[in-house]
PDB file of all heavy atoms in Angstrom:
ATOM      1  N   GLN Z 717      -5.873 -18.030   1.444  1.00  0.00           N
ATOM      2  CA  GLN Z 717      -6.554 -18.003   0.161  1.00  0.00           C
ATOM      3  C   GLN Z 717      -5.751 -17.131  -0.796  1.00  0.00           C
ATOM      4  O   GLN Z 717      -5.364 -16.012  -0.446  1.00  0.00           O
ATOM      5  CB  GLN Z 717      -7.961 -17.424   0.330  1.00  0.00           C
ATOM      6  CG  GLN Z 717      -8.720 -17.241  -0.984  1.00  0.00           C
ATOM      7  CD  GLN Z 717      -9.964 -16.376  -0.816  1.00  0.00           C
ATOM      8  OE1 GLN Z 717     -10.036 -15.560   0.108  1.00  0.00           O
ATOM      9  NE2 GLN Z 717     -10.920 -16.540  -1.710  1.00  0.00           N
ATOM     10  N   VAL Z 718      -5.481 -17.616  -1.988  1.00  0.00           N
ATOM     11  CA  VAL Z 718      -4.754 -16.847  -2.995  1.00  0.00           C
ATOM     12  C   VAL Z 718      -5.727 -16.453  -4.097  1.00  0.00           C
ATOM     13  O   VAL Z 718      -6.414 -17.307  -4.679  1.00  0.00           O
ATOM     14  CB  VAL Z 718      -3.576 -17.645  -3.590  1.00  0.00           C
ATOM     15  CG1 VAL Z 718      -2.916 -16.861  -4.713  1.00  0.00           C
ATOM     16  CG2 VAL Z 718      -2.552 -17.967  -2.504  1.00  0.00           C
ATOM     17  N   ILE Z 719      -5.799 -15.151  -4.380  1.00  0.00           N
ATOM     18  CA  ILE Z 719      -6.635 -14.629  -5.454  1.00  0.00           C
ATOM     19  C   ILE Z 719      -5.708 -13.988  -6.489  1.00  0.00           C
ATOM     20  O   ILE Z 719      -4.948 -13.069  -6.171  1.00  0.00           O
ATOM     21  CB  ILE Z 719      -7.633 -13.588  -4.936  1.00  0.00           C
ATOM     22  CG1 ILE Z 719      -8.456 -14.166  -3.781  1.00  0.00           C
ATOM     23  CG2 ILE Z 719      -8.542 -13.100  -6.058  1.00  0.00           C
ATOM     24  CD1 ILE Z 719      -9.324 -13.145  -3.073  1.00  0.00           C
ATOM     25  N   ARG Z 720      -5.745 -14.472  -7.707  1.00  0.00           N
ATOM     26  CA  ARG Z 720      -4.858 -13.992  -8.763  1.00  0.00           C
ATOM     27  C   ARG Z 720      -5.580 -12.927  -9.586  1.00  0.00           C
ATOM     28  O   ARG Z 720      -6.756 -13.090  -9.920  1.00  0.00           O
ATOM     29  CB  ARG Z 720      -4.396 -15.158  -9.639  1.00  0.00           C
ATOM     30  CG  ARG Z 720      -3.529 -16.160  -8.856  1.00  0.00           C
ATOM     31  CD  ARG Z 720      -3.543 -17.538  -9.479  1.00  0.00           C
ATOM     32  NE  ARG Z 720      -2.838 -18.505  -8.640  1.00  0.00           N
ATOM     33  CZ  ARG Z 720      -3.391 -19.147  -7.606  1.00  0.00           C
ATOM     34  NH1 ARG Z 720      -4.663 -18.929  -7.300  1.00  0.00           N
ATOM     35  NH2 ARG Z 720      -2.691 -20.004  -6.889  1.00  0.00           N
ATOM     36  N   VAL Z 721      -4.841 -11.871  -9.920  1.00  0.00           N
ATOM     37  CA  VAL Z 721      -5.414 -10.694 -10.572  1.00  0.00           C
ATOM     38  C   VAL Z 721      -4.634 -10.384 -11.846  1.00  0.00           C
ATOM     39  O   VAL Z 721      -3.404 -10.481 -11.869  1.00  0.00           O
ATOM     40  CB  VAL Z 721      -5.371  -9.484  -9.619  1.00  0.00           C
ATOM     41  CG1 VAL Z 721      -5.761  -8.198 -10.335  1.00  0.00           C
ATOM     42  CG2 VAL Z 721      -6.271  -9.722  -8.415  1.00  0.00           C
ATOM     43  N   ALA Z 722      -5.352  -9.999 -12.893  1.00  0.00           N
ATOM     44  CA  ALA Z 722      -4.723  -9.573 -14.144  1.00  0.00           C
ATOM     45  C   ALA Z 722      -5.413  -8.301 -14.636  1.00  0.00           C
ATOM     46  O   ALA Z 722      -6.571  -8.035 -14.279  1.00  0.00           O
ATOM     47  CB  ALA Z 722      -4.820 -10.674 -15.201  1.00  0.00           C
ATOM     48  N   TRP Z 734      -4.426 -18.450 -12.645  1.00  0.00           N
ATOM     49  CA  TRP Z 734      -4.126 -17.389 -13.607  1.00  0.00           C
ATOM     50  C   TRP Z 734      -5.084 -17.451 -14.801  1.00  0.00           C
ATOM     51  O   TRP Z 734      -5.434 -16.428 -15.384  1.00  0.00           O
ATOM     52  CB  TRP Z 734      -2.679 -17.483 -14.075  1.00  0.00           C
ATOM     53  CG  TRP Z 734      -1.687 -17.114 -13.018  1.00  0.00           C
ATOM     54  CD1 TRP Z 734      -0.752 -17.928 -12.444  1.00  0.00           C
ATOM     55  CD2 TRP Z 734      -1.525 -15.826 -12.397  1.00  0.00           C
ATOM     56  NE1 TRP Z 734      -0.021 -17.234 -11.501  1.00  0.00           N
ATOM     57  CE2 TRP Z 734      -0.468 -15.942 -11.458  1.00  0.00           C
ATOM     58  CE3 TRP Z 734      -2.166 -14.599 -12.531  1.00  0.00           C
ATOM     59  CZ2 TRP Z 734      -0.048 -14.882 -10.666  1.00  0.00           C
ATOM     60  CZ3 TRP Z 734      -1.743 -13.530 -11.740  1.00  0.00           C
ATOM     61  CH2 TRP Z 734      -0.701 -13.675 -10.819  1.00  0.00           C
ATOM     62  N   SER Z 738      -8.920 -12.649 -11.723  1.00  0.00           N
ATOM     63  CA  SER Z 738      -9.933 -11.679 -11.316  1.00  0.00           C
ATOM     64  C   SER Z 738      -9.501 -10.263 -11.695  1.00  0.00           C
ATOM     65  O   SER Z 738      -8.328  -9.997 -11.968  1.00  0.00           O
ATOM     66  CB  SER Z 738     -10.128 -11.773  -9.804  1.00  0.00           C
ATOM     67  OG  SER Z 738     -10.913 -10.717  -9.301  1.00  0.00           O
ATOM     68  N   ALA Z 743     -11.213  -8.780  -6.708  1.00  0.00           N
ATOM     69  CA  ALA Z 743     -10.357  -9.516  -5.778  1.00  0.00           C
ATOM     70  C   ALA Z 743     -10.453  -8.934  -4.375  1.00  0.00           C
ATOM     71  O   ALA Z 743     -10.537  -9.677  -3.380  1.00  0.00           O
ATOM     72  CB  ALA Z 743      -8.917  -9.496  -6.263  1.00  0.00           C
ATOM     73  N   GLN Z 752      -4.244 -13.702   0.284  1.00  0.00           N
ATOM     74  CA  GLN Z 752      -3.167 -13.102  -0.496  1.00  0.00           C
ATOM     75  C   GLN Z 752      -3.715 -12.755  -1.870  1.00  0.00           C
ATOM     76  O   GLN Z 752      -4.348 -13.590  -2.530  1.00  0.00           O
ATOM     77  CB  GLN Z 752      -1.990 -14.059  -0.643  1.00  0.00           C
ATOM     78  CG  GLN Z 752      -1.245 -14.356   0.636  1.00  0.00           C
ATOM     79  CD  GLN Z 752      -0.027 -15.236   0.407  1.00  0.00           C
ATOM     80  OE1 GLN Z 752       0.302 -15.602  -0.717  1.00  0.00           O
ATOM     81  NE2 GLN Z 752       0.650 -15.600   1.485  1.00  0.00           N
ATOM     82  N   ILE Z 753      -3.461 -11.535  -2.313  1.00  0.00           N
ATOM     83  CA  ILE Z 753      -3.867 -11.100  -3.644  1.00  0.00           C
ATOM     84  C   ILE Z 753      -2.600 -10.957  -4.487  1.00  0.00           C
ATOM     85  O   ILE Z 753      -1.743 -10.124  -4.192  1.00  0.00           O
ATOM     86  CB  ILE Z 753      -4.647  -9.772  -3.581  1.00  0.00           C
ATOM     87  CG1 ILE Z 753      -5.922  -9.961  -2.744  1.00  0.00           C
ATOM     88  CG2 ILE Z 753      -4.985  -9.276  -4.981  1.00  0.00           C
ATOM     89  CD1 ILE Z 753      -6.712  -8.688  -2.516  1.00  0.00           C
ATOM     90  N   TRP Z 754      -2.459 -11.820  -5.499  1.00  0.00           N
ATOM     91  CA  TRP Z 754      -1.296 -11.820  -6.384  1.00  0.00           C
ATOM     92  C   TRP Z 754      -1.666 -11.038  -7.641  1.00  0.00           C
ATOM     93  O   TRP Z 754      -2.610 -11.418  -8.350  1.00  0.00           O
ATOM     94  CB  TRP Z 754      -0.902 -13.242  -6.767  1.00  0.00           C
ATOM     95  CG  TRP Z 754      -0.390 -14.087  -5.638  1.00  0.00           C
ATOM     96  CD1 TRP Z 754      -0.381 -13.793  -4.313  1.00  0.00           C
ATOM     97  CD2 TRP Z 754       0.186 -15.393  -5.762  1.00  0.00           C
ATOM     98  NE1 TRP Z 754       0.171 -14.817  -3.587  1.00  0.00           N
ATOM     99  CE2 TRP Z 754       0.525 -15.826  -4.443  1.00  0.00           C
ATOM    100  CE3 TRP Z 754       0.457 -16.240  -6.840  1.00  0.00           C
ATOM    101  CZ2 TRP Z 754       1.118 -17.059  -4.197  1.00  0.00           C
ATOM    102  CZ3 TRP Z 754       1.040 -17.472  -6.590  1.00  0.00           C
ATOM    103  CH2 TRP Z 754       1.372 -17.874  -5.287  1.00  0.00           C
ATOM    104  N   VAL Z 755      -0.915  -9.964  -7.925  1.00  0.00           N
ATOM    105  CA  VAL Z 755      -1.286  -9.060  -9.010  1.00  0.00           C
ATOM    106  C   VAL Z 755      -0.263  -9.139 -10.137  1.00  0.00           C
ATOM    107  O   VAL Z 755       0.932  -8.883  -9.941  1.00  0.00           O
ATOM    108  CB  VAL Z 755      -1.412  -7.612  -8.501  1.00  0.00           C
ATOM    109  CG1 VAL Z 755      -2.043  -6.732  -9.582  1.00  0.00           C
ATOM    110  CG2 VAL Z 755      -2.257  -7.548  -7.232  1.00  0.00           C
ATOM    111  N   LYS Z 756      -0.755  -9.492 -11.314  1.00  0.00           N
ATOM    112  CA  LYS Z 756       0.091  -9.606 -12.503  1.00  0.00           C
ATOM    113  C   LYS Z 756       0.570  -8.230 -12.948  1.00  0.00           C
ATOM    114  O   LYS Z 756      -0.097  -7.215 -12.745  1.00  0.00           O
ATOM    115  CB  LYS Z 756      -0.708 -10.280 -13.621  1.00  0.00           C
ATOM    116  CG  LYS Z 756       0.067 -10.535 -14.895  1.00  0.00           C
ATOM    117  CD  LYS Z 756      -0.818 -11.222 -15.934  1.00  0.00           C
ATOM    118  CE  LYS Z 756      -0.080 -11.446 -17.249  1.00  0.00           C
ATOM    119  NZ  LYS Z 756      -0.944 -12.142 -18.249  1.00  0.00           N
ATOM    120  N   TYR Z 760      -3.201  -0.739 -13.815  1.00  0.00           N
ATOM    121  CA  TYR Z 760      -4.529  -0.911 -13.232  1.00  0.00           C
ATOM    122  C   TYR Z 760      -5.124   0.471 -12.950  1.00  0.00           C
ATOM    123  O   TYR Z 760      -4.850   1.061 -11.899  1.00  0.00           O
ATOM    124  CB  TYR Z 760      -4.459  -1.741 -11.952  1.00  0.00           C
ATOM    125  CG  TYR Z 760      -4.035  -3.170 -12.189  1.00  0.00           C
ATOM    126  CD1 TYR Z 760      -2.688  -3.499 -12.338  1.00  0.00           C
ATOM    127  CD2 TYR Z 760      -4.974  -4.184 -12.299  1.00  0.00           C
ATOM    128  CE1 TYR Z 760      -2.288  -4.810 -12.591  1.00  0.00           C
ATOM    129  CE2 TYR Z 760      -4.585  -5.504 -12.539  1.00  0.00           C
ATOM    130  CZ  TYR Z 760      -3.244  -5.800 -12.678  1.00  0.00           C
ATOM    131  OH  TYR Z 760      -2.856  -7.101 -12.923  1.00  0.00           O
ATOM    132  N   SER Z 774      -2.848  -9.465   2.310  1.00  0.00           N
ATOM    133  CA  SER Z 774      -1.540  -9.200   1.696  1.00  0.00           C
ATOM    134  C   SER Z 774      -1.720  -9.002   0.196  1.00  0.00           C
ATOM    135  O   SER Z 774      -2.321  -9.849  -0.474  1.00  0.00           O
ATOM    136  CB  SER Z 774      -0.584 -10.369   1.955  1.00  0.00           C
ATOM    137  OG  SER Z 774      -0.380 -10.560   3.335  1.00  0.00           O
ATOM    138  N   ILE Z 775      -1.203  -7.898  -0.314  1.00  0.00           N
ATOM    139  CA  ILE Z 775      -1.289  -7.586  -1.742  1.00  0.00           C
ATOM    140  C   ILE Z 775       0.124  -7.583  -2.296  1.00  0.00           C
ATOM    141  O   ILE Z 775       0.968  -6.782  -1.873  1.00  0.00           O
ATOM    142  CB  ILE Z 775      -1.963  -6.227  -1.972  1.00  0.00           C
ATOM    143  CG1 ILE Z 775      -3.378  -6.224  -1.365  1.00  0.00           C
ATOM    144  CG2 ILE Z 775      -2.027  -5.902  -3.461  1.00  0.00           C
ATOM    145  CD1 ILE Z 775      -4.067  -4.877  -1.419  1.00  0.00           C
ATOM    146  N   TYR Z 776       0.387  -8.474  -3.247  1.00  0.00           N
ATOM    147  CA  TYR Z 776       1.719  -8.630  -3.820  1.00  0.00           C
ATOM    148  C   TYR Z 776       1.677  -8.343  -5.322  1.00  0.00           C
ATOM    149  O   TYR Z 776       0.866  -8.930  -6.049  1.00  0.00           O
ATOM    150  CB  TYR Z 776       2.239 -10.052  -3.606  1.00  0.00           C
ATOM    151  CG  TYR Z 776       2.456 -10.434  -2.168  1.00  0.00           C
ATOM    152  CD1 TYR Z 776       1.524 -11.199  -1.483  1.00  0.00           C
ATOM    153  CD2 TYR Z 776       3.605 -10.038  -1.490  1.00  0.00           C
ATOM    154  CE1 TYR Z 776       1.720 -11.566  -0.163  1.00  0.00           C
ATOM    155  CE2 TYR Z 776       3.815 -10.391  -0.163  1.00  0.00           C
ATOM    156  CZ  TYR Z 776       2.868 -11.153   0.498  1.00  0.00           C
ATOM    157  OH  TYR Z 776       3.072 -11.508   1.809  1.00  0.00           O
ATOM    158  N   GLY Z 777       2.563  -7.461  -5.787  1.00  0.00           N
ATOM    159  CA  GLY Z 777       2.726  -7.221  -7.210  1.00  0.00           C
ATOM    160  C   GLY Z 777       3.969  -7.921  -7.736  1.00  0.00           C
ATOM    161  O   GLY Z 777       4.718  -8.554  -6.990  1.00  0.00           O
ATOM    162  N   GLY Z 778       4.192  -7.815  -9.047  1.00  0.00           N
ATOM    163  CA  GLY Z 778       5.415  -8.333  -9.645  1.00  0.00           C
ATOM    164  C   GLY Z 778       5.309  -9.710 -10.256  1.00  0.00           C
ATOM    165  O   GLY Z 778       6.330 -10.370 -10.476  1.00  0.00           O
ATOM    166  N   PHE Z 779       4.108 -10.152 -10.572  1.00  0.00           N
ATOM    167  CA  PHE Z 779       3.927 -11.479 -11.165  1.00  0.00           C
ATOM    168  C   PHE Z 779       3.882 -11.389 -12.687  1.00  0.00           C
ATOM    169  O   PHE Z 779       3.297 -10.462 -13.257  1.00  0.00           O
ATOM    170  CB  PHE Z 779       2.638 -12.121 -10.658  1.00  0.00           C
ATOM    171  CG  PHE Z 779       2.676 -12.510  -9.211  1.00  0.00           C
ATOM    172  CD1 PHE Z 779       2.266 -11.624  -8.217  1.00  0.00           C
ATOM    173  CD2 PHE Z 779       3.143 -13.757  -8.824  1.00  0.00           C
ATOM    174  CE1 PHE Z 779       2.300 -11.980  -6.880  1.00  0.00           C
ATOM    175  CE2 PHE Z 779       3.181 -14.125  -7.481  1.00  0.00           C
ATOM    176  CZ  PHE Z 779       2.759 -13.233  -6.518  1.00  0.00           C
ATOM    177  N   ASN Z 782       2.391 -16.637 -14.415  1.00  0.00           N
ATOM    178  CA  ASN Z 782       2.518 -18.097 -14.517  1.00  0.00           C
ATOM    179  C   ASN Z 782       3.106 -18.716 -13.248  1.00  0.00           C
ATOM    180  O   ASN Z 782       3.392 -19.911 -13.230  1.00  0.00           O
ATOM    181  CB  ASN Z 782       3.382 -18.480 -15.732  1.00  0.00           C
ATOM    182  CG  ASN Z 782       4.746 -17.808 -15.705  1.00  0.00           C
ATOM    183  OD1 ASN Z 782       5.159 -17.236 -14.683  1.00  0.00           O
ATOM    184  ND2 ASN Z 782       5.447 -17.847 -16.824  1.00  0.00           N
ATOM    185  N   GLU Z 783       3.245 -17.940 -12.215  1.00  0.00           N
ATOM    186  CA  GLU Z 783       3.894 -18.411 -10.986  1.00  0.00           C
ATOM    187  C   GLU Z 783       2.943 -19.284 -10.165  1.00  0.00           C
ATOM    188  O   GLU Z 783       1.731 -19.077 -10.149  1.00  0.00           O
ATOM    189  CB  GLU Z 783       4.357 -17.230 -10.134  1.00  0.00           C
ATOM    190  CG  GLU Z 783       5.446 -16.363 -10.768  1.00  0.00           C
ATOM    191  CD  GLU Z 783       4.901 -15.277 -11.663  1.00  0.00           C
ATOM    192  OE1 GLU Z 783       3.668 -15.290 -11.943  1.00  0.00           O
ATOM    193  OE2 GLU Z 783       5.670 -14.414 -12.084  1.00  0.00           O
ATOM    194  N   SER Z 784       3.539 -20.223  -9.465  1.00  0.00           N
ATOM    195  CA  SER Z 784       2.785 -21.072  -8.537  1.00  0.00           C
ATOM    196  C   SER Z 784       3.221 -20.849  -7.092  1.00  0.00           C
ATOM    197  O   SER Z 784       2.632 -21.424  -6.177  1.00  0.00           O
ATOM    198  CB  SER Z 784       2.955 -22.549  -8.906  1.00  0.00           C
ATOM    199  OG  SER Z 784       4.331 -22.911  -8.882  1.00  0.00           O
ATOM    200  N   ALA Z 785       4.262 -20.037  -6.876  1.00  0.00           N
ATOM    201  CA  ALA Z 785       4.760 -19.748  -5.533  1.00  0.00           C
ATOM    202  C   ALA Z 785       5.103 -18.266  -5.430  1.00  0.00           C
ATOM    203  O   ALA Z 785       5.529 -17.643  -6.410  1.00  0.00           O
ATOM    204  CB  ALA Z 785       5.982 -20.601  -5.209  1.00  0.00           C
ATOM    205  N   LEU Z 786       4.934 -17.718  -4.243  1.00  0.00           N
ATOM    206  CA  LEU Z 786       5.167 -16.295  -4.026  1.00  0.00           C
ATOM    207  C   LEU Z 786       6.603 -15.907  -4.336  1.00  0.00           C
ATOM    208  O   LEU Z 786       6.866 -14.836  -4.892  1.00  0.00           O
ATOM    209  CB  LEU Z 786       4.810 -15.943  -2.581  1.00  0.00           C
ATOM    210  CG  LEU Z 786       4.898 -14.480  -2.166  1.00  0.00           C
ATOM    211  CD1 LEU Z 786       3.949 -13.623  -2.984  1.00  0.00           C
ATOM    212  CD2 LEU Z 786       4.584 -14.347  -0.669  1.00  0.00           C
ATOM    213  N   ASN Z 787       7.558 -16.756  -4.008  1.00  0.00           N
ATOM    214  CA  ASN Z 787       8.969 -16.410  -4.190  1.00  0.00           C
ATOM    215  C   ASN Z 787       9.423 -16.467  -5.643  1.00  0.00           C
ATOM    216  O   ASN Z 787      10.585 -16.199  -5.942  1.00  0.00           O
ATOM    217  CB  ASN Z 787       9.863 -17.285  -3.307  1.00  0.00           C
ATOM    218  CG  ASN Z 787       9.772 -18.764  -3.643  1.00  0.00           C
ATOM    219  OD1 ASN Z 787       9.159 -19.159  -4.627  1.00  0.00           O
ATOM    220  ND2 ASN Z 787      10.379 -19.594  -2.801  1.00  0.00           N
ATOM    221  N   GLN Z 788       8.531 -16.793  -6.565  1.00  0.00           N
ATOM    222  CA  GLN Z 788       8.880 -16.816  -7.986  1.00  0.00           C
ATOM    223  C   GLN Z 788       8.661 -15.468  -8.669  1.00  0.00           C
ATOM    224  O   GLN Z 788       9.103 -15.273  -9.797  1.00  0.00           O
ATOM    225  CB  GLN Z 788       8.043 -17.885  -8.708  1.00  0.00           C
ATOM    226  CG  GLN Z 788       8.353 -19.307  -8.269  1.00  0.00           C
ATOM    227  CD  GLN Z 788       7.390 -20.319  -8.860  1.00  0.00           C
ATOM    228  OE1 GLN Z 788       6.257 -19.992  -9.235  1.00  0.00           O
ATOM    229  NE2 GLN Z 788       7.823 -21.569  -8.940  1.00  0.00           N
ATOM    230  N   ARG Z 789       8.004 -14.552  -8.010  1.00  0.00           N
ATOM    231  CA  ARG Z 789       7.702 -13.256  -8.650  1.00  0.00           C
ATOM    232  C   ARG Z 789       8.950 -12.382  -8.753  1.00  0.00           C
ATOM    233  O   ARG Z 789       9.945 -12.577  -8.040  1.00  0.00           O
ATOM    234  CB  ARG Z 789       6.610 -12.530  -7.865  1.00  0.00           C
ATOM    235  CG  ARG Z 789       7.086 -12.037  -6.516  1.00  0.00           C
ATOM    236  CD  ARG Z 789       5.960 -11.510  -5.658  1.00  0.00           C
ATOM    237  NE  ARG Z 789       6.505 -11.141  -4.353  1.00  0.00           N
ATOM    238  CZ  ARG Z 789       6.513  -9.907  -3.861  1.00  0.00           C
ATOM    239  NH1 ARG Z 789       5.968  -8.912  -4.529  1.00  0.00           N
ATOM    240  NH2 ARG Z 789       7.053  -9.658  -2.675  1.00  0.00           N
ATOM    241  N   THR Z 796       4.007  -3.497 -11.650  1.00  0.00           N
ATOM    242  CA  THR Z 796       2.573  -3.560 -11.365  1.00  0.00           C
ATOM    243  C   THR Z 796       2.129  -2.195 -10.874  1.00  0.00           C
ATOM    244  O   THR Z 796       2.544  -1.755  -9.802  1.00  0.00           O
ATOM    245  CB  THR Z 796       2.281  -4.634 -10.300  1.00  0.00           C
ATOM    246  OG1 THR Z 796       2.832  -5.886 -10.726  1.00  0.00           O
ATOM    247  CG2 THR Z 796       0.795  -4.782 -10.075  1.00  0.00           C
TER     248      THR Z 796
END
Side-chain angles (χ1 to χ4, degrees):
Q717 175 193 25
V718 175
I719 306 171
R720 295 156 186 84
V721 171
W734 290 116
S738 170
Q752 293 184 2
I753 299 175
W754 293 8
V755 190
K756 183 179 178 179
Y760 294 81
S774 299
I775 301 174
Y776 296 100
F779 291 91
N782 55 12
E783 295 86 351
S784 58
L786 184 61
N787 62 8
Q788 294 172 336
R789 70 189 176 117
T796 305

